[in-house]
Amino acid sequence: MIVARALFADNRRLVLCIAVVLIAGIGLPLLNLLTPPTSALHVPTYVVQLVGKYLCYALLAVAVDLVWGYCGILTLGHGAFFALGGYAMGMYLMRQIGSRGVYGNPLLPDFMVFLNWKQLPWFWQGFDQFWFAAIMVVLVPGLLALGLGWFAFRSRVTGVYLSIITQAMTFALWLAFFRNDMGFGGNNGMTDFKEILGFSIQSGGTRAALCFASALALALGLVVAASVVGSRFGKVLVGVRDAESRVRFLGYRPENYKLFVFVVSAMLAGVAGALYVPQVGIINPGEFHPANSIEAVIWVAIGGRGTLVGPVLGAVLVNFGKTWLTGALPEVWLFALGALFVFVPMFLPNGVVGLWRSRVKRAPARADKTAPLARPAE
Amino acid sequence: MRETDKLLYVDGISVSFDGFRALNSLSLMIDDGEMRAIIGPNGAGKTTMMDVITGKTRPDSGEVVFDGRHDLRALDETDIARLGIGRKFQRPTVFENHTVEDNLLLALKGKRRVFDTLFARRATSETTRLKDLLELIGLGTQRGILAGRLSHGQKQWLEIGMLLAQDPKLLLVDEPVAGMTDAETETTAKLLREINKTRSVIVVEHDMNFVRELGVTVTVLHEGSVLAEGSLDQVSANPRVVEVYLGR
Ligand SMILES: Nc1ncnc2c1ncn2[C@@H]1O[C@H](COP(=O)(O)OP(=O)(O)OP(=O)(O)O)[C@@H](O)[C@H]1O
Ligand SMILES: [Mg+2]
């Protein structure tokens, strides 16, 4: 009911977005598989791979927007939740390699043999089972968000300080995962995956299925986000963003609202990371780099925060630009990104979606969703 | 904790900010059903007093007892709001990106936990209550527009409406008519008198015409403590009050 109302009553654009995501997620891989490379309709494999990656980024962006756009928590650490989901999937994929590794150890991944480890660490137990890894993909990011959020929100850390804490979290994990003795492959991370659920990770069919799974995850993520923000809970959330003390003096506990949405968002980011890893074939500590988290915020800002379609658009547009520029003019990419982050908030405070909205002259009827980037402390 | 039959019992509270005494052994008692006006020059401590009552600021010393049995010093803002104390801020604070109706809906008395609101559906009783409230605060025709688009005065009324929606026993109203036209001020006085028929109210205001219109007991604050108390005529004849106001 809630879902139906949120989706169909007042957000036709979101329905359209979900439809496009699903059609692209099914159609492009099918065209890749079913048409011969000579056909005009043929979609090359690398495009399917790219689209799959973009869809994961888009899900990460939706997660960021849920906390930033709707609750005013400017997270600079969501890349950590994405990476943790990715590592959980990577551990499953590593254990699927079995005795086909370079050292041929049936139980231990290559990097452990190389480090002279004799047995599997306790936290690697269970990862040979897909269902277990799948649970960890949401559980680990969710628990980290719960712990961090519990302390931060209860002690009423807001604004810039909260952003710094989230950034520090991903920075700490970045450093930690570089260490060999952490047991996650150190600097090199995990790669050379062979199979997922018994299917060869390199095969066209698996790639197609992963691309489709990413589209499905994004669509479901959008539905979850829409039902959260479309409920009365979502209204309280926007209240927390715009006037937290008013919410408090009405008898709500803003910290619980923030905590809930932060945990849900971290879980979505974890799922995005888990789908990303088998498609790119590697996970290493680089995914924890603070810059990744900042980039995700930029996607949301560019697409339009506080809307659900905006982050999807932003993630796809920016990453398409990145792919294109890194190919055509590799030196320029970072400057382009920096320039975007400076100029978009100045000239497009509501992102691409806002531009479209004012073009079609619906602005007066709709909410002016702009709130200051970070609210001043009370 | 003190035994008391007062609705609000404030005794000897002091608050210091970095050595500066904003409240200095302030005492105040409000009866059930009473409306009280509080006046005093800028910086007298009126807002700080409301901060103490609503749990935003902890007093260094003194007692605050609500309804004869709740020690407010031990509770936080949320708990105190749930006990039945509503507060309008000095600067009108409404949810600008929500419609007028949604502002009231969020304020309506009801369950406020995460999983309650996540699955809440609008009840018919809520719809009726919203209609009544909209009528009372005179924003019936604005129900569907965003609160951010209201005029300053309308925002003040909306915020008062939100307090009412909470169904509190006591309303703390900080400068409700600041920036209002004369006609709006008069409407606000009428609104507060209407509210006072069923609830207790504490109004902080600088506008003497408005205070006169309310026609209630006035407490004058100065430098963090009570300087005088009585009818407006009584306190304005008090030489110390005159000195405080003219001496500035
Ligand atoms: N958080 C704070 N930190 C430091 N000083 C404060 C704080 N809050 C209030 N004060 C000081 O305490 C004094 C009382 O302030 P308060 O806001 O209660 O006055 P007021 O009577 O409401 O004045 P006004 O009529 O201007 O609203 C002022 O001098 C103010 O500067
Ligand atoms: Mg004040």
Side-chain angles (χ1 to χ4, degrees), chain A residues 156 249, chain B residues 13-17 22-23 47-60 64 72-73 75 77 80 87:
Chain A
R156 302 198 185 172
F249 283 91
Chain B
I13 48 169
S14 298
V15 171
S16 303
F17 297 112
L23 291 184
T47 300
T48 307
M49 181 196 77
M50 292 198 166
D51 287 345
V52 169
I53 297 171
T54 53
K56 191 174 176 205
T57 302
R58 298 249 172 269
D60 303 330
V64 190
L72 297 186
R73 287 172 310 172
L75 304 174
E77 298 98 316
I80 292 173
R87 175 177 185 181

Side-chain angles (χ1 to χ4, degrees), chain A residues 9-302:
Chain A
D10 49 49
N11 216 337
R12 247 172 276 140
R13 203 169 45 219
L14 178 64
V15 177
L16 185 71
C17 173
I18 291 177
V20 170
V21 163
L22 287 177
I23 290 169
I26 300 172
L28 296 177
L30 277 186
L31 285 177
N32 169 258
L33 289 180
L34 299 181
T35 55
T38 48
S39 156
L41 285 175
H42 184 73
V43 173
T45 303
Y46 79 89
V47 172
V48 174
Q49 250 174 313
L50 272 183
V51 169
K53 239 172 74 171
Y54 292 174
L55 291 169
C56 295
Y57 288 145
L59 182 55
L60 172 61
V62 170
V64 168
D65 189 41
L66 201 52
V67 292
W68 183 40
Y70 288 93
C71 194
I73 303 167
L74 176 51
T75 167
L76 296 180
H78 255 55
F81 303 129
F82 182 88
L84 286 172
Y87 264 96
M89 177 59 89
M91 287 161 80
Y92 163 75
L93 296 172
M94 283 307 266
R95 297 215 42 193
Q96 297 312 298
I97 297 173
S99 52
R100 287 167 291 181
V102 176
Y103 296 108
N105 188 310
L107 191 61
L108 298 188
D110 279 348
F111 74 87
M112 292 186 194
V113 180
F114 182 76
L115 290 172
N116 256 326
W117 290 12
K118 294 294 171 241
Q119 47 174 306
L120 204 63
W122 63 269
F123 50 85
W124 275 78
Q125 304 294 337
F127 277 95
D128 52 329
Q129 302 292 325
F130 183 79
W131 65 266
F132 182 84
I135 290 175
M136 291 303 137
V137 160
V138 290
L139 196 65
V140 173
L143 283 177
L144 178 63
L146 187 72
L148 188 86
W150 196 78
F151 282 109
F153 301 144
R154 262 173 57 102
S155 34
R156 302 198 185 172
V157 179
T158 53
V160 179
Y161 298 100
L162 191 57
S163 301
I164 291 173
I165 289 179
T166 55
Q167 176 95 115
M169 167 192 72
T170 198
F171 186 67
L173 287 169
W174 181 59
L175 294 178
F177 273 73
F178 266 118
R179 298 164 56 97
N180 278 330
D181 53 11
M182 275 284 283
F184 297 105
N187 192 9
N188 298 321
M190 305 172 193
T191 188
D192 288 331
F193 308 133
K194 307 272 189 262
E195 278 172 1
I196 179 167
L197 288 169
F199 299 100
S200 161
I201 211 148
Q202 303 287 349
S203 83
T206 308
R207 276 194 204 297
L210 283 168
C211 179
F212 173 62
S214 308
L216 200 63
L218 176 57
L220 284 176
L222 284 168
V223 170
V224 167
S227 38
V228 167
V229 302
S231 68
R232 195 175 295 184
F233 173 93
K235 290 187 173 138
V236 177
L237 214 55
V238 169
V240 171
R241 179 192 75 188
D242 294 345
E244 180 169 346
S245 55
R246 180 75 278 164
V247 174
R248 205 182 284 284
F249 283 91
L250 284 178
Y252 292 93
R253 294 211 174 275
E255 55 272 28
N256 294 351
Y257 283 76
K258 291 182 185 176
L259 192 57
F260 181 86
V261 79
F262 196 54
V263 169
V264 168
S265 167
M267 289 174 164
L268 289 178
V271 171
L275 285 161
Y276 176 81
V277 166
Q279 298 187 77
V280 296
I282 183 167
I283 174 79
N284 62 31
E287 291 300 332
F288 284 106
H289 193 284
N292 285 20
S293 297
I294 296 171
E295 235 182 86
V297 169
I298 300 178
W299 305 336
V300 177
I302 287 173

Side-chain angles (χ1 to χ4, degrees), chain B residues 46-48 90 174-175 204 206:
Chain B
K46 306 178 296 291
T47 300
T48 307
Q90 184 160 348
D174 203 347
E175 303 202 12
V204 164
H206 287 288

Side-chain angles (χ1 to χ4, degrees), chain B residues 95-142:
Chain B
F95 303 125
E96 309 231 326
N97 287 307
H98 283 319
T99 61
V100 169
E101 188 169 355
D102 279 347
N103 268 272
L104 292 170
L105 177 70
L106 291 183
L108 272 189
K109 187 180 185 139
K111 294 187 177 151
R112 273 148 161 59
R113 284 171 316 185
V114 164
F115 290 96
D116 298 325
T117 54
L118 208 48
F119 301 105
R121 311 251 323 259
R122 175 147 353 153
T124 19
S125 59
E126 289 180 320
T127 310
T128 327
R129 182 103 177 87
L130 287 177
K131 211 171 135 253
D132 294 345
L133 283 166
L134 284 165
E135 203 166 305
L136 183 68
I137 59 173
L139 294 177
T141 50
Q142 281 89 353

Side-chain angles (χ1 to χ4, degrees), chain B residues 38 50 88-92 152-157 159-160 172-181 184-185 188-189 191-192 201-207 210-211 214:
Chain B
I38 309 238
M50 292 198 166
K88 195 199 87 61
F89 296 105
Q90 184 160 348
R91 197 169 55 90
H152 179 79
Q154 289 172 325
K155 280 184 197 167
Q156 303 266 35
W157 292 332
E159 197 175 359
I160 294 174
L172 307 181
V173 188
D174 203 347
E175 303 202 12
V177 301
M180 278 190 177
T181 63
E184 286 174 332
T185 302
T188 309
L191 177 62
L192 287 181
V201 182
I202 300 178
V203 196
V204 164
E205 191 45 78
H206 287 288
D207 184 329
F210 173 76
V211 173
L214 292 178

